[in-house]
Amino acid sequence: TLQVQAPLWRVLAETRLSRDQRIEGDGEWVKVSATVRDTWQLRWWLLAQGPMVIVTGPSALRREVVGNLKETLSLYEPRKDFPR
């Protein structure tokens, strides 16, 4: 399950993630649910959407995405051992 920001949810309305995809709402953020395979491509796609998508479930996927984003953000923190 995702919370998706416009205009991404408008794209998903035309290019569905799955046959059972459901979009609830029509505001700036909407809920999108779909049954998809658990693959590296899914994770790649989710991370590529940046601030336009929030993973709300399943909880294991959400934790994994949050962990990945935190790790990526830590790379941008000032470090003595890495030139800026």
Side-chain angles (χ1 to χ4, degrees):
T1 308
L2 309 171
Q3 289 292 324
V4 179
Q5 190 176 36
L8 181 58
W9 70 261
R10 291 183 181 101
V11 172
L12 293 177
E14 295 181 14
T15 309
R16 300 169 69 80
L17 294 172
S18 69
R19 297 179 116 195
D20 68 347
Q21 175 180 293
R22 287 180 293 135
I23 296 176
E24 298 175 34
D26 63 359
E28 185 65 21
W29 287 89
V30 300
K31 178 181 176 182
V32 176
S33 57
T35 304
V36 295
R37 291 180 45 207
D38 186 10
T39 64
W40 68 265
Q41 292 96 332
L42 171 64
R43 285 153 180 78
W44 178 84
W45 182 84
L46 290 168
L47 293 170
Q49 303 316 307
M52 293 194 350
V53 64
I54 301 169
V55 177
T56 56
S59 58
L61 179 60
R62 179 182 170 87
R63 284 190 303 273
E64 184 178 337
V65 169
V66 168
N68 188 296
L69 292 171
K70 285 181 178 179
E71 184 177 346
T72 300
L73 182 60
S74 75
L75 296 174
Y76 288 85
E77 296 295 325
R79 293 172 40 186
K80 292 179 182 179
D81 63 334
F82 193 77
R84 291 181 44 86

